């Protein structure tokens, strides 16, 4: 099922920022637009959970079969995983990004990994008295398209696979950002969405998995400032080794790198984006 892992290996928390889908999962907490989340029908819940405020933000995650541990974690990335959205698709109090918590919970017997969002929603409702609603808004975003000279990548073979979910990721650090691995262009688009100031939609029309090797110089004016992503990179023991495997350090921003390395381009587009509005959430969780 799931194995113990470092922070960069937790499928969605922290760097499922890289893979967070654009659409919401229909869950009972959002069944009614105006009803507070805590009045929704009963959901699947963790068998037992310990939740307490942390002295500091460590951004450490551990997953054993049937058990999760989030140490020194802000609620913002937990909400991202609970509702399968990007950081900028959640509107709530500023302390969601700065105040951290230690959470240890056991999953119900037989629970599947894809039920984790529902479990986290139930935990947030029970322990933090979460009340949330969904609203669709028009926001700037991007379309991922094939550039005029065509794609500059090849269809994957099994020998190219490396890393978590076939995605080898180098987080934001001094001068570098990168995606490398065997992936669909829909996955690449979702990964780009976690970096840029708008959602990226794959409109290339290309199906299958491809060998993607992309490195760029991060530009704070167009890329999201994600404290948890920075912390994840700082806690990644393999990061320096990964950087050494970049034979040609990047010199361009992500837009030029896409054209030069992959033959793709990003075109600005207005998009309808689901936003989670936090109507109420407690700063102090209920007792264990």
């Amino acid at each position: 099922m799931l194995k113990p892992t470092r922070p960069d290996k937790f499928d969605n928390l922290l760097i499922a920022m890289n893979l967070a889908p654009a659409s919401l999962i229909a869950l009972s907490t959002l069944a009614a637009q105006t009803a507070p989340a805590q009045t929704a029908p009963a959901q699947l819940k963790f068998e037992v959970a310990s939740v307490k405020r942390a002295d500091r933000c460590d951004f450490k995650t551990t997953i054993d079969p049937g058990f999760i541990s989030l140490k020194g974690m802000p609620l913002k990335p937990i909400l991202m995983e609970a509702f399968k959205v990007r950081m900028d698709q959640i509107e709530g109090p500023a302390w969601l990004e700065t105040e951290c918590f230690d959470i240890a919970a056991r999953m119900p017997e037989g629970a599947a990994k894809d039920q984790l969002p529902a479990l986290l929603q139930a935990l947030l409702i029970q322990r933090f008295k979460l009340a949330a609603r969904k609203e669709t808004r028009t926001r700037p975003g991007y379309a991922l398209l094939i550039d005029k000279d065509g794609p500059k990548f090849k269809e994957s073979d099994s020998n190219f696979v490396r890393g978590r979910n076939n995605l080898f990721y180098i987080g934001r650090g001094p001068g570098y950002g990168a995606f490398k691995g065997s992936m669909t262009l829909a996955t690449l688009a979702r990964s780009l969405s976690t970096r840029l100031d708008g959602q990226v939609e794959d409109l290339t029309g290309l199906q299958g998995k491809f060998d993607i090797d992309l490195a760029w110089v991060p530009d704070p004016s167009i890329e999201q400032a994600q404290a948890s992503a920075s912390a994840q990179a700082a806690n990644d023991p393999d990061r320096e080794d990964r950087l050494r495997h970049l034979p040609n350090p990047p010199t361009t921003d992500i837009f030029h790198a896409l054209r030069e390395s992959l033959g793709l381009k990003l075109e600005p587009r207005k998009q309808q984006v689901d936003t989670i509005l936090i109507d109420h959430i407690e700063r102090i969780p209920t007792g264990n």
Side-chain angles (χ1 to χ4, degrees):
M1 189 177 173
L2 300 176
K3 298 180 180 179
T5 176
R6 294 188 305 268
D8 65 316
K9 297 294 182 73
F10 193 1
D11 277 351
N12 285 315
L13 282 173
L14 297 181
I15 66 170
M17 294 180 187
N18 300 335
L19 302 177
S23 61
L24 290 169
I25 295 178
L27 293 170
S28 57
T29 54
L30 293 179
Q33 292 287 327
T34 58
Q38 62 262 34
T39 64
Q43 295 186 76
L44 184 69
K45 296 180 180 180
F46 288 113
E47 285 186 356
V48 62
S50 170
V51 182
K52 60 182 181 179
R53 292 174 66 90
D55 295 332
R56 62 180 185 177
C57 296
D58 290 325
F59 299 91
K60 293 181 179 179
T61 68
T62 303
I63 303 180
D64 289 312
F67 181 82
I68 69 167
S69 172
L70 311 177
K71 186 173 178 59
M73 185 71 67
L75 288 188
K76 195 71 169 281
I78 298 174
L79 285 159
M80 289 171 60
E81 172 63 14
F83 293 107
K84 306 303 290 184
V85 294
R86 292 155 29 101
M87 179 175 283
D88 62 358
Q89 287 174 263
I90 297 174
E91 291 191 7
W95 63 263
L96 293 176
E97 298 182 43
T98 58
E99 297 188 20
C100 295
F101 300 85
D102 293 336
I103 299 175
R106 185 169 300 282
M107 298 176 72
E109 185 70 25
K113 184 171 63 175
D114 60 6
Q115 292 175 299
L116 181 59
L119 290 165
L120 289 172
Q121 284 198 30
L123 178 73
L124 291 165
I125 291 168
Q126 181 182 18
R127 307 301 292 275
F128 292 90
K129 307 304 179 186
L130 170 69
R133 55 194 166 92
K134 180 178 71 173
E135 185 176 288
T136 301
R137 296 180 175 179
T138 300
R139 292 188 177 185
Y142 302 93
L144 182 65
L145 302 166
I146 299 173
D147 202 15
K148 59 182 180 180
D149 294 327
K152 300 179 182 179
F153 47 83
K154 297 180 180 179
E155 193 166 359
S156 295
D157 59 42
S158 58
N159 295 324
F160 194 82
V161 176
R162 179 179 181 182
R164 184 188 60 83
N165 290 343
N166 299 346
L167 177 66
F168 172 41
Y169 172 68
I170 302 173
R172 174 176 295 163
Y176 291 101
F179 297 123
K180 181 175 182 179
S182 171
M183 68 192 78
T184 65
L185 294 188
T187 295
L188 176 62
R190 290 195 298 268
S191 302
L192 292 169
S193 294
T194 69
R195 308 294 301 197
L196 298 174
D197 55 357
Q199 186 170 297
V200 179
E201 182 180 4
D202 172 29
L203 296 181
T204 62
L206 298 179
Q207 303 298 316
K209 288 189 175 182
F210 302 94
D211 296 351
I212 300 299
D213 192 347
L214 177 69
W216 70 94
V217 178
D219 182 346
S221 68
I222 59 174
E223 296 189 37
Q224 298 187 80
Q226 297 177 345
S228 53
S230 299
Q232 174 257 319
N235 286 303
D236 182 359
D238 296 332
R239 184 177 171 281
E240 291 303 320
D241 179 63
R242 291 175 177 179
L243 292 178
R244 283 195 293 269
H245 284 81
L246 287 176
N248 300 306
T251 58
T252 61
D253 64 30
I254 198 166
F255 294 96
H256 288 89
L258 276 165
R259 277 196 163 99
E260 295 170 3
S261 300
L262 302 179
L264 299 174
K265 64 179 180 179
L266 289 172
E267 184 178 283
R269 296 269 179 102
K270 293 289 186 180
Q271 298 175 342
Q272 296 296 307
V273 178
D274 288 321
T275 301
I276 299 298
L277 304 179
I278 307 299
D279 290 326
H280 179 81
I281 190 167
E282 299 284 347
R283 298 178 81 149
I284 301 176
T286 58
N288 295 314

